[in-house]
Coordinates of all heavy atoms in Angstrom, one line a residue:
F225 N -268.5 -49.5 -28.3 CA -269.6 -49.8 -29.1 C -270.7 -50.4 -28.2 O -270.5 -51.6 -27.7 CB -269.3 -50.8 -30.3 CG -268.4 -50.1 -31.3 CD1 -267.1 -49.9 -31.1 CD2 -268.9 -49.8 -32.6 CE1 -266.3 -49.3 -32.1 CE2 -268.1 -49.3 -33.6 CZ -266.8 -49.0 -33.3
K226 N -271.8 -49.8 -27.9 CA -272.7 -50.2 -26.9 C -274.1 -50.5 -27.6 O -274.6 -49.7 -28.4 CB -272.9 -49.1 -25.9 CG -273.9 -49.5 -24.7 CD -273.9 -48.4 -23.7 CE -274.7 -47.2 -24.2 NZ -274.8 -46.2 -23.1
I227 N -274.7 -51.6 -27.2 CA -276.1 -51.9 -27.6 C -276.9 -51.9 -26.3 O -276.6 -52.6 -25.3 CB -276.1 -53.3 -28.2 CG1 -275.3 -53.4 -29.4 CG2 -277.6 -53.7 -28.6 CD1 -273.9 -54.1 -29.2
S228 N -277.9 -51.1 -26.3 CA -278.8 -51.0 -25.1 C -280.2 -51.3 -25.5 O -280.6 -51.3 -26.6 CB -278.8 -49.5 -24.6 OG -279.3 -48.6 -25.5
A229 N -281.0 -51.8 -24.5 CA -282.4 -52.2 -24.7 C -283.2 -51.5 -23.6 O -283.2 -51.8 -22.5 CB -282.5 -53.7 -24.6
P230 N -284.0 -50.4 -24.1 CA -284.1 -50.0 -25.5 C -283.1 -48.8 -25.8 O -282.2 -48.6 -25.0 CB -285.6 -49.4 -25.5 CG -285.7 -48.8 -24.1 CD -285.0 -49.8 -23.2
A231 N -283.4 -48.2 -26.9 CA -282.6 -47.0 -27.2 C -283.0 -45.8 -26.3 O -284.2 -45.6 -26.1 CB -282.8 -46.6 -28.7
V232 N -282.0 -45.2 -25.7 CA -282.2 -44.0 -24.9 C -281.3 -42.9 -25.4 O -280.2 -42.8 -24.9 CB -282.1 -44.2 -23.4 CG1 -282.5 -43.0 -22.6 CG2 -282.8 -45.5 -23.0
R233 N -281.7 -42.2 -26.4 CA -280.8 -41.1 -27.0 C -281.3 -39.8 -26.5 O -282.5 -39.5 -26.4 CB -281.0 -41.2 -28.6 CG -280.6 -42.5 -29.2 CD -281.3 -42.6 -30.6 NE -282.8 -42.6 -30.4 CZ -283.7 -42.4 -31.4 NH1 -283.3 -42.2 -32.6 NH2 -285.0 -42.5 -31.1
K234 N -280.3 -38.9 -26.3 CA -280.7 -37.5 -26.0 C -281.3 -36.9 -27.2 O -282.4 -36.3 -27.2 CB -279.5 -36.7 -25.6 CG -279.8 -35.3 -25.2 CD -278.6 -34.5 -24.8 CE -279.0 -33.1 -24.4 NZ -277.8 -32.3 -24.0
L235 N -280.7 -37.1 -28.4 CA -281.2 -36.5 -29.6 C -281.4 -37.6 -30.7 O -280.5 -38.5 -30.8 CB -280.2 -35.4 -30.2 CG -280.0 -34.2 -29.3 CD1 -278.9 -33.3 -29.9 CD2 -281.3 -33.4 -29.1
A236 N -282.4 -37.4 -31.5 CA -282.6 -38.3 -32.6 C -282.2 -37.6 -33.9 O -282.4 -36.4 -34.0 CB -284.1 -38.7 -32.7
A237 N -281.5 -38.3 -34.8 CA -281.1 -37.6 -36.0 C -282.2 -37.5 -37.0 O -283.0 -38.4 -37.3 CB -280.0 -38.5 -36.6
G238 N -282.3 -36.3 -37.6 CA -283.3 -36.0 -38.6 C -282.6 -35.9 -40.0 O -281.5 -36.5 -40.2

Side-chain angles (χ1 to χ4, degrees):
F225 291 73
K226 182 178 72 178
I227 301 99
S228 65
V232 187
R233 304 156 296 165
K234 180 179 180 181
L235 298 174

